[in-house]
Amino acid sequence: MKKSTKLFATAVIAVSLFGLTACGSQSSSGKKPLVIYTNADTEAINVMKSTLDNNGFKGDYQFQEFGSSDLNAKVTAEGENIQSDLITLSTFYIDSAQQSSQMFANWNTPKNGVNPNETFQSPILGNEGAIVVNTDALKQANLPEPKSIKDLANPIYKGQISFPSLEGSTTGWLMVQALIQNYGQNEAKTILTGLIKNAGAQIQQSGSAPVKSVESGEVAIAYGLREQGELDSKTMPIKVVDPTEGNYVLTESVAVVNHKNMNPDAEKAAEIIATKSRADMIKQYPVKLFNGETVPTTSNNEHVKFFNQPLTTDLLKQHIALFKAAQANAQ
């Protein structure tokens, strides 16, 4: 998921220019290039590019990157008139768009995935939430390592934690899902109130910003994406803590826009991304999405959990309301 927050107006201008220059031009092979709008991280985009390059699409596609909420807003506003052939976006956003506008085409989706009856989209990766700590900063602050998200509501962590706002980032939704499913709505609101008090100004609108605050040592603890913490741990005093509540997952999927004049290669490219990218994608995002997949042995997959209700935009709105109530209590 693209965690950086981008101004939507800027994105619209950039895409308009992109549409004028790229969408009507020819690729190096003489074909009209596939245009792919995505909210994915750089690591996931690199995997998709490599997969397309190795399967006959080198030079025949162009990616345009967005933040998750910005791309969802664009998809919702433009529907099948959007200037892209493929979309990769959080699965629940694609579900919502399809229900409201039927903007995505049916294609040869894999039938051995988490939703074998899906006909218009296929999951490509699963983002996990986790606690990420700067071990040096934690030691300097003389704080114990947290074991759970609930621990972070303890006043001893005041001024030392950062996490994404549920209103600004779907990464923040993973944290709220974990609290609601493990403790129920009422206790989750109480815990959130403590978290909000402890974080103060370090409640971020970007999903990656809390981890960046941990990288710099500005705070000792963040809630963010597990894969980001794992990457940092290779070169920095960063450690991933899998919370006792579990590492909740938000999937991202690929879908084909149902244009009147569809690019004849769009469905083939979607199928390649959905199937042939998984071997490399699961190394970066170690969540099993298809039958028979094996995650890397270094991953702690036993903590992976999915919310016990289907993720929808309506459910997100309900959880945002809970988050706002906790914010009011924290004043």
Side-chain angles (χ1 to χ4, degrees):
M1 78 185 56
K2 181 66 63 177
K3 274 75 64 182
S4 58
T5 303
K6 298 175 182 166
L7 295 176
F8 184 58
T10 303
V12 170
I13 293 170
V15 172
S16 298
L17 293 172
F18 179 81
L20 289 172
T21 58
C23 294
S25 63
Q26 289 187 330
S27 67
S28 58
S29 66
K31 297 180 182 179
K32 182 180 178 181
L34 284 167
V35 180
I36 304 169
Y37 286 177
T38 183
N39 73 321
D41 297 330
T42 300
E43 293 79 15
I45 292 172
N46 288 341
V47 170
M48 288 188 280
K49 286 180 176 179
S50 176
T51 303
L52 289 171
D53 288 350
N54 293 332
N55 288 276
F57 278 87
K58 190 169 186 177
D60 290 340
Y61 62 84
Q62 295 171 338
F63 276 89
Q64 182 75 14
E65 301 174 38
F66 295 83
S68 298
S69 58
D70 288 347
L71 182 52
N72 176 57
K74 191 167 182 62
V75 165
T76 301
E78 298 181 16
E80 64 184 23
N81 294 317
I82 199 167
Q83 289 186 321
S84 66
D85 301 294
L86 302 181
I87 301 285
T88 82
L89 183 61
S90 302
T91 304
F92 77 95
Y93 279 143
I94 293 177
D95 279 331
S96 178
Q98 184 72 345
Q99 289 172 12
S100 63
S101 66
Q102 294 294 305
M103 66 175 286
F104 297 113
N106 291 330
W107 51 283
N108 187 29
T109 55
K111 302 306 180 188
N112 62 332
V114 289
N115 187 353
N117 297 318
E118 196 65 274
T119 59
F120 61 89
Q121 67 176 337
S122 179
I124 57 174
L125 62 88
N127 286 296
E128 298 174 68
I131 296 170
V132 180
V133 302
N134 183 315
T135 54
D136 286 351
L138 203 66
K139 185 177 180 180
Q140 290 172 9
N142 196 28
L143 290 171
E145 181 181 291
K147 302 299 181 186
S148 67
I149 302 169
K150 184 177 181 179
D151 285 348
L152 301 182
N154 189 322
I156 64 172
Y157 293 111
K158 187 175 179 63
Q160 288 291 345
I161 68 170
S162 181
F163 64 86
S165 167
L166 186 55
E167 295 179 88
S169 169
T170 50
T171 303
W173 195 15
L174 295 173
M175 184 180 76
V176 175
Q177 288 175 34
L179 292 175
I180 291 173
Q181 187 154 310
N182 283 273
Y183 306 110
Q185 297 261 350
N186 291 335
E187 190 174 355
K189 184 166 71 171
T190 300
I191 295 168
L192 279 171
T193 299
L195 284 165
I196 292 164
K197 287 180 179 179
N198 283 347
Q202 284 288 345
I203 299 174
Q204 308 285 357
Q205 294 302 309
S206 160
S208 61
V211 176
K212 289 179 181 177
S213 294
V214 165
E215 291 171 351
S216 68
E218 187 176 356
V219 296
I221 308 163
Y223 186 89
L225 293 182
R226 192 180 196 278
E227 56 268 20
Q228 285 185 307
E230 286 290 337
L231 284 173
D232 286 342
S233 68
K234 297 174 182 178
T235 58
M236 305 175 68
I238 301 296
K239 179 181 178 181
V240 170
V241 177
D242 295 314
T244 56
E245 293 91 354
N247 302 100
Y248 279 72
V249 173
L250 191 66
T251 61
E252 295 180 8
S253 292
V254 60
V256 178
V257 181
N258 191 21
H259 290 302
K260 290 181 180 179
N261 297 309
M262 291 176 61
N263 188 313
D265 292 326
E267 293 184 18
K268 181 181 177 183
E271 187 175 350
I272 287 171
I273 290 172
T275 57
K276 296 185 181 297
S277 70
R278 284 299 297 159
D280 289 328
M281 202 74 84
I282 200 170
K283 296 175 184 177
Q284 299 280 354
Y285 308 88
V287 177
K288 290 190 288 186
L289 299 178
F290 296 92
N291 296 331
E293 287 189 326
T294 303
V295 299
T297 55
T298 54
S299 299
N300 192 2
N301 209 51
E302 64 185 35
H303 282 86
V304 169
K305 290 186 180 180
F306 291 84
F307 196 61
N308 56 10
Q309 292 177 247
L311 300 185
T312 64
T313 52
D314 286 341
L315 183 65
L316 176 57
K317 290 175 183 177
Q318 293 173 29
H319 290 178
I320 287 175
L322 179 74
F323 184 80
K324 286 183 174 180
Q327 282 182 311
N329 290 343
Q331 300 302 315

